[in-house]
Amino acid sequence: MESISRRRMLALSSLTCGPLAELAFGSAAGAKRPNILFIMTDDHASQAISCYGSKVNQTPNLDRIAREGMRMDRVFATNSICTPSRATILTGKYSHLNGVPVFNRFDGSQPTVAKMLQKTDYYTAMIGKWHLGSDPTGFDYWNILPGQGVYNNPTFYDKDGSETYKGYATDVITDITIDALKNRPKDKPFFMMSHHKAPHREWTPDEKHRKMFEHKHIPEPANLRDDYSGRTDALHEQKQSVFRDLTRRDLKLKPPAGLSGAELNQWLGVKPMEVETEIDGVRKTLRGKELEDWKYQRYMQDYLACVQSVDDNVGRQLDWLDANGLRENTVVIYTSDQGFFLGEHGLYDKRFMYEESLRMPFLVRWPGVIRPGSTSSAIGINCDFAPTFLDLAGAPAPTDMQGRSFLPIWEGKTPRDWRGAMYYRYYHDPGDHNTRAHYGIRTATHKLIYFWKKDQWECYDLAADPHEMRNIYNDPKAQKTVSMLKQELYRLKKEMRDDDQFANEQPKESSYVQAPPPRKR
Ligand code: CA
């Protein structure tokens, strides 16, 4: 603990003495500063992690991080979609300040936490899914998937060109991460981002786990058949419904023999309202509710099987750290770029500000500093990650970063003036899921959402209605609360310097497979 306070004091002195002092401190503090291993998956909902109370699966290795460290229960994405969340994590800034509100190309010339850590003499590395359109900057080593990448035999590329790896993406990303750890310079602390593709759509499991959930009945969430009564147009108009919008590709239906190219793609892209399949050895045509039930099970079986490989690989990574003397001085973080709907409100995907999509799982282990088995309900946002990394390195966060360091929370001393509400803004409207643009706030007890292109509001009492089924915006008894929340919303919007810079930004579709550069050599 003492060394952290010392680091803080030094960080403060460097803040007052400018960048040169910062550099001097960086080299002086040397090996005492902790390593940072940041493991992030893509679209992993906390309700599919057993230490968060999952009813659908068991994740013993992720639970191990929580058991040996802390589970944070209220860490939220400020714009719940892949590319914007990644840009926010790197910059510590909201989408409207880092220039990535939708699937824009990230301008890598702007300041990022990787560049700042590099300046304080950290060894920086980025492995796996990057998905920011431009190549990584600020990393001593990087090896990334082009665009979304693929699950099987993925191609990666680095500064020298591309290379195809045999195997399953989650295993390969872990292998490359462990290799990078082995080959790192040992005289510096490291900051390593290990970003998985899984469990992103189209949810292709590996061979080991493919059949793990095949004969299991996955419990449905109570609001799988939400009829959206009392809610705004947004839920009615979305195209991310488990029952209506999963395609033959998502459901892994077998195409007729002889189809290829554009014809095959077209067949796979159909959202089937009738499916012929074999159940317990009997061929059957599924329609209506029977088909809906089947779709939910198919979706979840594959999603959860992808998660299981993530869990195995996180275990492998922890074992490697522990076996190589890196347990004590390495901060291990597990998170996902946002949450995901696992049938809640009848949805898959993310984007909406409802809890399952908004909430990022956040588990962290740091032996000797974080009390094992601790939890926190402080409201965190993905803008906090960069200031946290800088705090660990003993470097000050630039004043234009919009988050705060988690360090005092991890030490069990949440500051009294910690934020009481978080601001959210989603832009990608209509986009492929027709999710209506909205902004809003979430406090410890309430949520207020404004669909600005529709001029429609939703308000939820999260204590009384945690599943967000009853919109109290027009409830006469809620008017005082609504008005207070509105005031806080506009105060936060202003404080976060959102003056609608990107309110009219047009959606850009994310390319699933970006062409990799030429092969190495
Ligand atoms: Ca994502």
Side-chain angles (χ1 to χ4, degrees):
M1 294 288 184
E2 232 175 59
S3 70
I4 296 170
S5 314
R6 193 180 137 263
R7 278 203 295 272
R8 282 229 182 98
M9 282 172 64
L10 283 165
L12 274 175
S13 71
S14 72
L15 186 67
T16 51
C17 304
L20 281 176
E22 187 186 323
L23 280 175
F25 161 66
S27 42
K32 279 187 183 169
R33 299 177 302 162
N35 303 305
I36 305 165
L37 174 61
F38 179 78
I39 307 172
M40 182 163 81
T41 40
D42 194 338
D43 296 357
H44 189 184
S46 52
Q47 65 275 26
I49 299 179
S50 36
C51 67
Y52 278 102
S54 170
K55 296 185 178 77
V56 292
N57 66 340
Q58 290 296 317
T59 50
N61 293 296
L62 296 177
D63 296 1
R64 179 173 153 197
I65 304 180
R67 195 171 61 244
E68 296 175 6
M70 176 179 275
R71 188 191 76 214
M72 295 183 75
D73 289 343
R74 287 184 187 153
V75 175
F76 301 117
T78 48
N79 181 359
S80 178
I81 187 167
C82 307
T83 301
S85 178
R86 286 151 203 274
T88 290
I89 288 168
L90 283 171
T91 57
K93 294 173 188 167
Y94 272 79
S95 305
H96 56 270
L97 296 188
N98 65 37
V100 187
V102 293
F103 288 113
N104 314 72
R105 184 176 181 276
F106 181 70
D107 172 7
S109 71
Q110 67 185 298
T112 67
V113 69
K115 290 181 193 175
M116 292 168 206
L117 289 172
Q118 207 174 30
K119 264 191 209 156
T120 67
D121 218 21
Y122 263 70
Y123 173 71
T124 59
M126 162 67 220
I127 292 139
K129 185 177 169 183
W130 172 250
H131 205 207
L132 282 162
S134 53
D135 288 346
T137 52
F139 292 97
D140 297 308
Y141 170 76
W142 56 270
N143 196 6
I144 60 170
L145 296 168
Q148 299 273 14
V150 295
Y151 273 107
N152 286 308
N153 302 325
T155 295
F156 286 72
Y157 75 98
D158 61 18
K159 61 180 179 33
D160 299 320
S162 69
E163 190 176 342
T164 299
Y165 291 68
K166 266 207 158 98
Y168 184 68
T170 311
D171 299 329
V172 173
I173 290 164
T174 307
D175 289 343
I176 300 176
T177 304
I178 291 176
D179 278 347
L181 285 169
K182 283 180 188 161
N183 298 327
R184 78 191 194 279
K186 309 288 190 299
D187 58 342
K188 291 178 174 193
F190 63 80
F191 170 64
M192 195 157 299
M193 302 184 100
S194 180
H195 291 188
H196 288 285
K197 171 183 172 57
H200 193 279
R201 192 182 183 190
E202 72 295 344
W203 318 295
T204 303
D206 65 349
E207 267 313 300
K208 184 178 167 195
H209 303 95
R210 192 168 58 87
K211 295 192 166 184
M212 189 168 167
F213 295 92
E214 197 180 42
H215 297 293
K216 288 189 180 139
H217 181 83
I218 316 294
E220 295 176 354
N223 57 358
L224 176 65
R225 291 191 155 73
D226 186 354
D227 64 4
Y228 308 147
S229 62
R231 261 64 61 78
T232 62
D233 292 343
L235 269 173
H236 294 272
E237 291 172 359
Q238 52 72 24
K239 291 183 181 158
Q240 50 184 98
S241 150
V242 171
F243 298 156
R244 293 193 314 265
D245 298 309
L246 289 177
T247 63
R248 286 173 173 156
R249 180 185 280 109
D250 296 328
L251 297 163
K252 317 295 178 327
L253 292 173
K254 210 174 159 201
L259 281 190
S260 63
E263 262 189 338
L264 175 66
N265 250 332
Q266 198 187 9
W267 190 92
L268 288 169
V270 167
K271 301 171 174 182
M273 288 303 139
E274 192 175 286
V275 163
E276 201 184 302
T277 189
E278 196 166 298
I279 295 176
D280 299 328
V282 183
R283 285 216 74 77
K284 224 180 151 181
T285 302
L286 303 175
R287 298 182 193 90
K289 183 172 179 299
E290 215 176 7
L291 178 62
E292 291 176 355
D293 291 346
W294 180 86
K295 281 183 181 175
Y296 177 73
Q297 294 298 320
R298 278 306 292 117
Y299 161 45
M300 288 298 289
Q301 285 161 354
D302 286 347
Y303 180 91
L304 294 176
C306 290
V307 167
Q308 228 52 49
S309 164
V310 167
D311 188 67
D312 279 7
N313 275 289
V314 167
R316 195 152 71 88
Q317 193 117 53
L318 292 174
D319 288 345
W320 190 90
L321 291 174
D322 293 1
N324 286 274
L326 290 168
R327 179 187 164 80
E328 300 307 320
N329 202 34
T330 302
V331 176
V332 179
I333 294 167
Y334 179 82
T335 189
S336 165
D337 58 348
Q338 6 68 207
F340 213 65
F341 294 106
L342 303 181
E344 298 86 3
H345 306 287
L347 306 175
Y348 68 94
D349 215 78
K350 53 266 181 179
R351 299 159 192 265
F352 278 110
M353 202 190 157
Y354 304 122
E355 285 299 275
E356 296 81 6
S357 147
L358 183 69
R359 182 156 85 155
M360 308 167 86
F362 198 99
L363 307 170
V364 54
R365 180 183 88 166
W366 189 8
V369 176
I370 299 176
R371 190 167 54 82
S374 53
T375 60
S376 168
S377 57
I379 294 178
I381 53 177
N382 49 355
C383 295
D384 296 332
F385 297 7
T388 302
F389 301 148
L390 291 168
D391 200 7
L392 290 170
T399 50
D400 63 348
M401 279 192 178
Q402 297 179 292
R404 283 178 80 169
S405 169
F406 285 154
L407 220 64
I409 294 174
W410 294 353
E411 291 167 341
K413 297 172 200 151
T414 305
R416 276 200 202 151
D417 64 347
W418 193 261
R419 72 173 71 78
M422 62 81 64
Y423 175 67
Y424 180 86
R425 187 159 191 168
Y426 171 84
Y427 299 85
H428 201 256
D429 173 3
D432 34 38
H433 290 296
N434 215 37
T435 316
R436 295 305 176 210
H438 53 292
Y439 58 77
I441 58 161
R442 190 210 192 276
T443 70
T445 55
H446 286 83
K447 191 179 289 176
L448 181 70
I449 309 175
Y450 180 51
F451 294 92
W452 81 81
K453 292 184 182 178
K454 296 252 165 200
D455 192 21
Q456 293 180 352
W457 295 82
E458 291 179 12
C459 184
Y460 298 97
D461 177 344
L462 300 173
D465 175 28
H467 302 296
E468 300 163 300
M469 298 294 285
R470 207 169 88 75
N471 177 13
I472 57 169
Y473 184 75
N474 291 315
D475 182 340
K477 291 198 289 291
Q479 289 319 294
K480 203 174 152 194
T481 305
V482 168
S483 130
M484 276 164 56
L485 287 167
K486 236 180 225 186
Q487 224 174 2
E488 180 62 4
L489 168 65
Y490 288 115
R491 189 195 67 76
L492 260 182
K493 184 169 183 278
K494 196 171 168 199
E495 188 184 303
M496 293 301 129
R497 286 173 283 148
D498 178 0
D499 53 15
D500 301 311
Q501 299 93 313
F502 287 99
N504 297 314
E505 188 74 4
Q506 287 305 306
K508 294 173 178 64
E509 293 315 330
S510 126
S511 62
Y512 268 70
V513 183
Q514 169 192 320
R519 283 183 187 284
K520 287 182 195 174
R521 286 175 290 274

